[in-house]
Every structure is written in structure tokens, then in C-alpha cells.
């Protein structure tokens, strides 16, 4: 009898141990589940062109709902142009350390992100993620090895070069007479989407990626980079494009180009809503990190301008000023302890690789020598005390050498771009007349979006929308030191960005012989001495799409068709004969 009791007791103990172990294993397994990481990147979006900054010229209700539900990144810095910015995002390094610092890759130039650099996609893929790029690449296409599916992405649908037409997906280089189709699924050109608006095409592809992933009940986490064309201008003859029904909403905007810009941003805003709806539909939302940002400031004027506003910041895209470097960004995750807040910590686009990797329990190999910092804990708990050093740009180009560097509140600019044409305050905020009619019931508009409602279901809580909107707005108070001009082509400029975010008071003369300036200047020289030489290479006429069935392709790996070569040379011969006749 005693033995039966003992056996019964032992069985009971074993049962409880089994249940406890199973529970522990379940908790351990749940804790080890990696989050899906979804990055939505706009192209050339102005700092003030998301309405959570305070502008009522046109509204972005879905982006705003994401921002108010999550954390507004008030000081996210990027590189000032597309290629350097994307290189920094994917490598976690300053462009000066990868040779990507000078200008952008033009489609006819045979260079790209060095093949010995490890990308964010490779880091996440190695950790078991499915990796997908939808949209723009712009990190090299002259060799197949430069392209997305050779650099860690399991899947790519989109274009390889700088931009395309919104409907026929062509890229035209008018000065060279080149025009060709640039749109692929993985390694194969696809014309299936010709005639469809590319913002919708990319959104549909992202939604399909999410639906496919969710329908398979995959335990594999998803890393999705939705890299939009919008609102970048298209080819020069027809730069601003939007569906007519989208355009019709903005008839109150008098300037035609700006009306198209508003419609292009509006379509981008709808894309954000559709992606979040897809994540919710597939029950992936709660275990996802969502990030929205722009690759750089918007171009108000000049090449490929789209009327973007970086108000009240100085400068624009392709400049060393805040208007070229600060991105309007927001991030959401159930891990954050201060959802519904404005985070004022300085963060660099190169920090996103180690930060998001840490969020997924990944420790990047120290041999990668990342410049980016892991700020996940600071972001998760809302700390704002990390003093961040950021090399915005060091470009020793002979024609326009310039640099832009920041440490803490101090920022140095020396030299500039485009002869200083973008050195002023170029974007203005519309405060009367051309105001979005929906702004009269702004808070109701935000609360009625699917984005707001879906994120509230996951993380219910009170949000002071008006307070957050005011806190995310940048004010430019009269500097205590008064207005002190900066002429960066004549001498360096020094700014206290905390007190003077609009760069109106140059403190160089006051601090030029101080340890504050001299220490910063010495650090800049150290970076410049160790910089990787720029990878830029001269244009290669062998890129001509006419040689490759009118496709932009990796021409250094392709064999041009004989007929195309003969046709190419016949055109050259005709040109020569024409010139001789004129002589």
C-alpha cells in the first residue's frame, strides 16, 4: 500500500514537472520568436510633408496615425541623397567608409555597393528571416552581383536604378539618348505591370508578400523593405504623375506641380494604410516592428524637384543642411514602453541595422565594424541621453568639397553643394488659402483611419493627438546670439542645433579657437584621412538599353545581340556622316 502511494506521489510529481517544463518551454519559445520587421521608405519626401509635423496644406492621415500610435523619431538623420542614404541603411556604416559618399549612381555608371560589404538583408537572412525588397534599389546594376537577390534578398520586385516612370517603368537618360525599361521580379524583367501606377504596384506586391507569409502560418520571421518611388519625380518630360481621382482631391492647390506632389504623397499615405491592414489581417501585426521614413530631405528646387517642403529647416536634398539630412519618421512596436511619444534622441540611418537586429535578438558580427549604434534599449524605454556622433557627409570632390558633421548639439559645415544654391530656407508652410478641407476635423480624421483603429486594438491607450502634433513641430526661435550669417564657401560654420535647429546663428567666430571647435575639427580630419576612396566610375556607353532588348540590365555580364550592336553602330555612323556633311 505504501508502495502504491509512493508510486502515485511520484507520478504526480512527474506530471507536475512535465507540465511545468512544457510551460517553461512554451514561455521560452514565445520569448525567442523573432519579430517581423517592416520598413516603408519614401523617396525625396519633404520633412514638413507629413501632417503630423503640423502642416495642413495636405494631410497624411495613415502616416500620422502610425506616428501618434507609436514613437515619432524627431531627430532621425539620413545622408543627403539616395545612394549614400540607402548604403548607410543597409550596411550600418557611414558612406565615407564604404566609398558611397559622392553623389548617386547614375544608371550608365559601372559601380555599386562594394561586394565585400554585408547588407542588412544578409544579416537578417542568416538569422532565419525571409527577406524581401519591394521597389527601389539604386546601389548598383552594372553587374548582376550588385543586385538585390545577390545581396541577401530572397525576393525583389522593382527597379534597379535611380527612378522610373510611374506607369511604363522606363528610365530615360536624355543627355545620352538612352531610354529603357527597368522593372524586374528577381532577375527577370517583367512587363506585367506596365500601365499600372507604380505606387499601387509596389503596395500590391508588399500586401501579397504579407498575405502569402501569413497564409502559410510561417514561423519564419519576415524582413520587408518597401522602398517606394513616391514622391520622387519621374523622367524629365513627365516628372509629376498621379491617378486622376487622387489628383481631384487637391483642386484647391493652385500650383499644378505641387497639386501633383500632394496627390503622389496621398497615394503613398494610402500604401501605409494597406500594409498595416494586411499585417492585421494575417495576425502578424502584434509581432511586427513598423518603421516609416524618407531616404533624405525633399528637393524644393533644382534637379528632379517636386516642390517638397522641409519647413522650417534650412536647405534641401543634396545639401549639408538640416533640410537635406532630417527625415520625418515614426516607428511602432508592442515592445515600446512609451507609445504615443516624441523621441528626441539623435539617431542615424546607419543605426537602424544594429538597433533592429538587437530587437530581433541578433548580434551582428563585430568584424563588420559598424558605425551605427545599437539604440534599441534607449528606444524601447524612451531614453534620450546618448550623445551621438554623426558624419553626415565628407566629400573631397575637387569641384565642390564639403562636409557636415555633428556631435551632440554641435554641428559643423564647411563647403557646400551646387554653388550654395540650396543654402537658404526654401520651403514655406501654407497657413491660409490652400488648406486641406479635412483639417477642420483633423483628430476625427486620424481616429477614423484603419491604422489608428488596428493599432489601438493591439495597444489601447489614450493619445493626445494635438499635444503630440505640437511636440513634433520644429520651432525656430530668435537665436539668443542674434542672426549670424554662415558663408560656408569662405569659412567653416558652427551651429548649436539644440538651440538653433534652423541654422541661423553661426558661432564659428566665437568658438574658432576653443577646445569645442578644435576637438570637433580634429575628429573630422581623422574621419577624412581614413575615408574609403569614392567608388564612382565614368559612364560606360555599353550600358545602352538598345543593346539589350531595350532593358536596363547588368551590361557587364550580358552579351549584346548582334543585331542590336549593328543597329547601334549604324546610328553612330549616321551621326558621324551627318557631322562630316555639315563640315
Amino acid at each position: 500500500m505504501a508502495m502504491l502511494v509512493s508510486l502515485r506521489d511520484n507520478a504526480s510529481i512527474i506530471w507536475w514537472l512535465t507540465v511545468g517544463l512544457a510551460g517553461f518551454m512554451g514561455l521560452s519559445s514565445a520569448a525567442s520568436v523573432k519579430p517581423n520587421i517592416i520598413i516603408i521608405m519614401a523617396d525625396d519626401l519633404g520633412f514638413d510633408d507629413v501632417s503630423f509635423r503640423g502642416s495642413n496644406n495636405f494631410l497624411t492621415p495613415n502616416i500620422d496615425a502610425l506616428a501618434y500610435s507609436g514613437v515619432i523619431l524627431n531627430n532621425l538623420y539620413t545622408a543627403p541623397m539616395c545612394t549614400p542614404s540607402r548604403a548607410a541603411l543597409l550596411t550600418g556604416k557611414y558612406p565615407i567608409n564604404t566609398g558611397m559618399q559622392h553623389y548617386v549612381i547614375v544608371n550608365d555608371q559601372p559601380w555599386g555597393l562594394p561586394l565585400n560589404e554585408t547588407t542588412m538583408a544578409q544579416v537578417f537572412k542568416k538569422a532565419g528571416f525571409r527577406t524581401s525588397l519591394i521597389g527601389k534599389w539604386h546601389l548598383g546594376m552594372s553587374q548582376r552581383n550588385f543586385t538585390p537577390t545577390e545581396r541577401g534578398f530572397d525576393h525583389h520586385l522593382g527597379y534597379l536604378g535611380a527612378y522610373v516612370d510611374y506607369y511604363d517603368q522606363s528610365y530615360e537618360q536624355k543627355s545620352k539618348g538612352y531610354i529603357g525599361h527597368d522593372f524586374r521580379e528577381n532577375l527577370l524583367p517583367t512587363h506585367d505591370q506596365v500601365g499600372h501606377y507604380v505606387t499601387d504596384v509596389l503596395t500590391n506586391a508588399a500586401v501579397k508578400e504579407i498575405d502569402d507569409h501569413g497564409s502559410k502560418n510561417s514561423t519564419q520571421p519576415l524582413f520587408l523593405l518597401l522602398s517606394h518611388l513616391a514622391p520622387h519625380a519621374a523622367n524629365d518630360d513627365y516628372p509629376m504623375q498621379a491617378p486622376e481621382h487622387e489628383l481631384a482631391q487637391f483642386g484647391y492647390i493652385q500650383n499644378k506641380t505641387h497639386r501633383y506632389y500632394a496627390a503622389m504623397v496621398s497615394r503613398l499615405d494610402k500604401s501605409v494604410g494597406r500594409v498595416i491592414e494586411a499585417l492585421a489581417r494575417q495576425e502578424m501585426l502584434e509581432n511586427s516592428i513598423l518603421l516609416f521614413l524618407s531616404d533624405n530631405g525633399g528637393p524644393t528646387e533644382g534637379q528632379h524637384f517636386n516642390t517638397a517642403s522641409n519647413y522650417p529647416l534650412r536647405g534641401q536634398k543634396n545639401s549639408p543642411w538640416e533640410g537635406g539630412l532630417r527625415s520625418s519618421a515614426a516607428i511602432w512596436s508592442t515592445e515600446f514602453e512609451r507609445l504615443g511619444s516624441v523621441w528626441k534622441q539623435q539617431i542615424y540611418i546607419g543605426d537602424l541595422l544594429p538597433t533592429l537586429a538587437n530587437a530581433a535578438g541578433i548580434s551582428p558580427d563585430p568584424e563588420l565594424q559598424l558605425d551605427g549604434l545599437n539604440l534599441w534599449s534607449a528606444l524601447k524605454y524612451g531614453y534620450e541621453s546618448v550623445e551621438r556622433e554623426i558624419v553626415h557627409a565628407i566629400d573631397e570632390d575637387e569641384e565642390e568639397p564639403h562636409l557636415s558633421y555633428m556631435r551632440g548639439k554641435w554641428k559643423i559645415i564647411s563647403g557646400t553643394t551646387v554653388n550654395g544654391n540650396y543654402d537658404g530656407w526654401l520651403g514655406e508652410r501654407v497657413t491660409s488659402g490652400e488648406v486641406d478641407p479635412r483639417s477642420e476635423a483633423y483628430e476625427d480624421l486620424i481616429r477614423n483611419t484603419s491604422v489608428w483603429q488596428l493599432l489601438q486594438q493591439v495597444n489601447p491607450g489614450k493619445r493626445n493627438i494635438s499635444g503630440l502634433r505640437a511636440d513634433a513641430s520644429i520651432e525656430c526661435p530668435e537665436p539668443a546670439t542674434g542672426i549670424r550669417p554662415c558663408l560656408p564657401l569662405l569659412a567653416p560654420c558652427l551651429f548649436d542645433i539644440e538651440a538653433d535647429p534652423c541654422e541661423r546663428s553661426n558661432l564659428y567666430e566665437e568658438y574658432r579657437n576653443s577646445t569645442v571647435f578644435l576637438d570637433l575639427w580634429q575628429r573630422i580630419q581623422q574621419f577624412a584621412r581614413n575615408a574609403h576612396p569614392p567608388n564612382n566610375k565614368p559612364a560606360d556607353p555599353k550600358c545602352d538599353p538598345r543593346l539589350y532588348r531595350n532593358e536596363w540590365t547588368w551590361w557587364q555580364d550580358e552579351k549584346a545581340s548582334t543585331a542590336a550592336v549593328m543597329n547601334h553602330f549604324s546610328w553612330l555612323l549616321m551621326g558621324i556622316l551627318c557631322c562630316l556633311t555639315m563640315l
Side-chain angles (χ1 to χ4, degrees), residues 471-548:
D471 202 20
S473 298
I474 303 299
E475 301 293 335
C476 290
E478 190 72 19
T481 55
I483 304 296
R484 297 183 180 181
C486 163
L487 301 173
L489 291 173
L490 301 180
C493 303
L494 177 69
F495 297 99
D496 178 347
I497 291 298
E498 285 184 8
D500 180 25
C502 298
E503 299 170 299
R504 297 195 295 170
S505 181
N506 175 19
L507 304 177
Y508 173 67
E509 290 299 329
E510 182 178 341
Y511 284 91
R512 62 185 299 179
N513 295 316
S514 71
T515 55
V516 168
F517 178 81
L518 295 175
D519 285 352
L520 297 174
W521 193 252
Q522 184 179 21
R523 182 66 169 153
I524 291 168
Q525 302 312 310
Q526 181 182 352
F527 276 112
R529 283 194 301 270
N530 295 326
H532 188 298
N535 299 321
N536 304 63
K537 291 185 179 179
D540 181 359
K542 293 179 183 176
C543 74
D544 190 343
R546 286 174 292 193
L547 302 176
Y548 312 100

Side-chain angles (χ1 to χ4, degrees), residues 315-336:
Q316 63 164 45
K317 175 184 177 178
N318 189 22
S319 81
W321 310 96
E322 293 289 285
L325 302 169
R326 283 181 71 171
S327 173
S328 279
I331 189 168
W332 179 91
S333 166
T334 56
E335 292 291 305
F336 297 152

Side-chain angles (χ1 to χ4, degrees), residues 188-354:
L188 297 176
T190 173
H191 292 254
D192 292 349
Q193 303 297 343
V194 169
H196 298 278
Y197 192 63
V198 76
T199 303
D200 297 341
V201 170
L202 300 179
T203 305
N204 292 342
V207 167
K208 183 177 185 299
E209 182 77 56
I210 293 166
D211 283 341
D212 287 350
H213 199 78
S215 64
K216 294 172 184 174
N217 295 314
S218 177
T219 56
Q220 182 184 32
L222 174 65
F223 170 64
L224 171 61
L225 173 56
L226 173 52
S227 181
H228 270 294
L229 170 62
H232 195 293
N235 294 313
D236 290 345
D237 287 345
Y238 191 16
M240 307 300 286
Q241 302 177 33
E244 285 299 323
H245 60 279
E246 199 74 47
L247 194 64
Q249 301 175 66
F250 303 99
Y252 61 90
I253 297 177
Q254 297 302 307
N255 181 284
K256 182 179 179 181
T257 303
H258 192 56
R259 193 185 319 137
Y260 269 94
Y261 179 71
M264 291 157 74
V265 175
S266 179
R267 207 65 171 187
L268 171 69
D269 181 71
K270 288 182 171 66
S271 174
V272 173
R274 290 187 56 205
V275 168
I276 292 173
E277 288 167 3
L279 289 167
R281 183 169 59 249
Q282 296 301 331
E283 299 181 351
M284 295 167 60
L285 188 55
E286 188 166 356
N287 190 40
S288 292
I289 299 172
L290 307 175
L291 171 65
F292 174 85
L293 75 161
S294 177
D295 62 343
N296 43 248
T300 310
E301 300 176 356
Q303 187 180 34
H304 305 310
F305 83 99
N306 59 10
T307 73
S309 173
N310 303 301
Y311 175 91
L313 303 177
R314 186 172 184 171
Q316 63 164 45
K317 175 184 177 178
N318 189 22
S319 81
W321 310 96
E322 293 289 285
L325 302 169
R326 283 181 71 171
S327 173
S328 279
I331 189 168
W332 179 91
S333 166
T334 56
E335 292 291 305
F336 297 152
E337 292 201 352
R338 294 183 58 201
L339 287 169
S341 65
V342 178
W343 196 51
K344 298 184 179 180
Q345 167 68 46
Q346 292 172 352
I347 180 171
Y348 180 60
I349 192 169
D351 298 338
L352 294 174
L353 192 162

Side-chain angles (χ1 to χ4, degrees), residues 398-411:
E398 290 183 7
E399 294 185 8
E400 48 181 41
H402 65 279
L403 65 88
S404 182
Y405 168 87
M406 174 185 290
R407 186 167 71 198
K409 70 176 185 176
W410 298 109
K411 180 179 177 183

